[in-house]
Amino acid sequence: MKKQLLVLSFLFLLSSTILNAQSINIGGVFPTIDHSGTISNKLDYSLYYFAAFPLVNFDKPDVSKDSYFHLFYAEQALSFKATNKLSFTGSYVYQRANVIYDNYVNENRFYIQAKYKHSIKKINLTHRLRFDGRFVHNRFTNETPFTHRVRYLIGFDTPINEKLYFTAYEEAFLNTFKDAGVVYGENWAYAALGKKLNDKNKIEAGILYVTWNIGKTNWFNQYYLQLTWISHLYFRKKKE
C-alpha cells in the first residue's frame, strides 16, 4: 500500500505543477465502457467509449450554466500479441467536442501503438507508446488539416484482495507536427478502485484528471469522477 500511495502522490504532484499556470478549472462525470475480446491466440479486439460531462466551474460556480455535454469518444481497435508481454495495436477513433452544440468539433483519428506489460511482485506494470494521426475539421475554414502527436503512458494495478484492486496511470501527450504552438499539449492522470464481478466483468470508480494546453501558460484543467464498466469475451479458449 505504501508503494501505491507514493505513485499516486507522484501523479498528483506532477498535476500540481501544471496548476500553477491554471486558467480554467471544471469538474464533472466521465462514464466509460471498456470492452475487449480474444479472437485467437494472437489477436484481440477492443471497443472503448466515453463521454465527458462538466457540471461545475470551480472558479465561478453556476450549475445552470456550467453543465454541458463536452466530449464523446469512440475507439475501435485490433491488437496483435507478439508475446505474452508485448502487443501492437491499430485503431480508428471518432471524437466530437461540444457534442450537441453549434460550435461542435469533429475529429477522425487513427493510432498505432506498442504496449509492454510486466510484473514486479504483486504490481502489474504497463508501458504504452502511441502515435496519433489526427484529422480535426475546422468548420470556419472548412479545412481538415493532418496533425500528429506521440503519447507515453505508464500505469499499474495491484490486488487488494480476491475481488478488489487498485489501479492508476499517467499519460503525457507531445505534439510532433510543425507549427504546433506548444509541444506538451495534454496530460491525463487516473487513480481508481476496481472490483471483479466475475471472470468477464469488472467495474472501476476513481478520479480522472485531464489538462489541455490552451495557449502558452494557460491550461484547461478537468477533474472527473470516472465510472467504468470493463468486460472481456473469449471466442477462443484460453491456453491451459
Side-chain angles (χ1 to χ4, degrees):
M1 184 60 70
K2 289 183 179 179
K3 290 182 178 180
Q4 299 167 20
L5 292 176
L6 285 173
V7 173
L8 184 58
S9 298
F10 170 75
L11 295 180
F12 286 97
L13 178 62
L14 180 60
S15 301
S16 67
T17 62
I18 295 173
L19 289 178
N20 291 331
Q22 65 189 1
S23 60
I24 302 173
N25 297 282
I26 61 96
V29 294
F30 199 92
T32 304
I33 296 174
D34 184 353
H35 172 72
S36 58
T38 296
I39 301 172
S40 69
N41 291 334
K42 290 294 184 180
L43 289 178
D44 280 358
Y45 72 89
S46 60
L47 306 172
Y48 189 74
Y49 304 102
F50 66 70
F53 297 95
L55 301 178
V56 61
N57 184 327
F58 293 127
D59 301 317
K60 297 179 180 179
D62 185 346
V63 175
S64 63
K65 296 181 180 179
D66 296 337
S67 304
Y68 69 104
F69 193 171
H70 174 45
L71 202 64
F72 172 74
Y73 178 96
E75 172 188 315
Q76 297 72 219
L78 190 65
S79 297
F80 172 75
K81 294 174 284 188
T83 68
N84 289 335
K85 295 182 178 181
L86 179 64
S87 64
F88 300 94
T89 302
S91 176
Y92 163 72
V93 173
Y94 170 74
Q95 180 175 296
R96 186 178 176 110
N98 300 321
V99 181
I100 60 175
Y101 309 100
D102 292 338
N103 61 337
Y104 67 86
V105 178
N106 286 328
E107 176 179 345
N108 290 281
R109 182 191 314 169
F110 70 87
Y111 74 68
I112 53 175
Q113 75 175 29
K115 180 187 290 186
Y116 183 77
K117 295 183 176 182
H118 63 106
S119 298
I120 301 176
K121 295 184 178 180
K122 293 185 177 181
I123 298 176
N124 303 309
L125 289 165
T126 298
H127 305 269
R128 189 180 77 190
L129 184 63
R130 177 181 293 184
F131 173 83
D132 279 339
R134 310 176 68 194
F135 298 89
V136 183
H137 182 61
N138 186 323
R139 294 192 302 113
F140 297 103
T141 63
N142 202 32
E143 296 178 340
T144 308
F146 174 66
T147 61
H148 41 84
R149 65 189 178 189
V150 293
R151 302 160 53 173
Y152 172 69
L153 177 148
I154 181 169
F156 79 96
D157 65 79
T158 187
I160 297 173
N161 56 38
E162 291 184 358
K163 294 291 186 180
L164 297 177
Y165 61 92
F166 177 81
T167 184
Y169 71 75
E170 169 77 19
E171 184 172 19
F173 295 63
L174 304 176
N175 292 317
T176 52
F177 63 98
K178 186 179 179 181
D179 301 325
V182 295
V183 175
Y184 182 31
E186 291 184 35
N187 190 87
W188 293 50
Y190 174 69
L193 289 175
K195 182 177 182 180
K196 297 179 181 179
L197 302 178
N198 51 47
D199 290 341
K200 298 178 181 178
N201 295 279
K202 299 184 291 186
I203 54 173
E204 289 181 4
I207 301 298
L208 173 66
Y209 169 67
V210 180
T211 187
W212 296 346
N213 191 314
I214 54 176
K216 295 183 179 180
T217 60
N218 297 319
W219 294 84
F220 179 28
N221 299 306
Q222 305 159 63
Y223 303 86
Y224 294 108
L225 172 61
Q226 182 170 346
L227 304 171
T228 307
W229 171 38
I230 303 168
S231 62
H232 188 90
L233 295 177
Y234 292 93
F235 294 96
R236 183 182 178 91
K237 290 185 178 180
K238 293 183 289 184
K239 288 184 176 181
E240 298 294 335

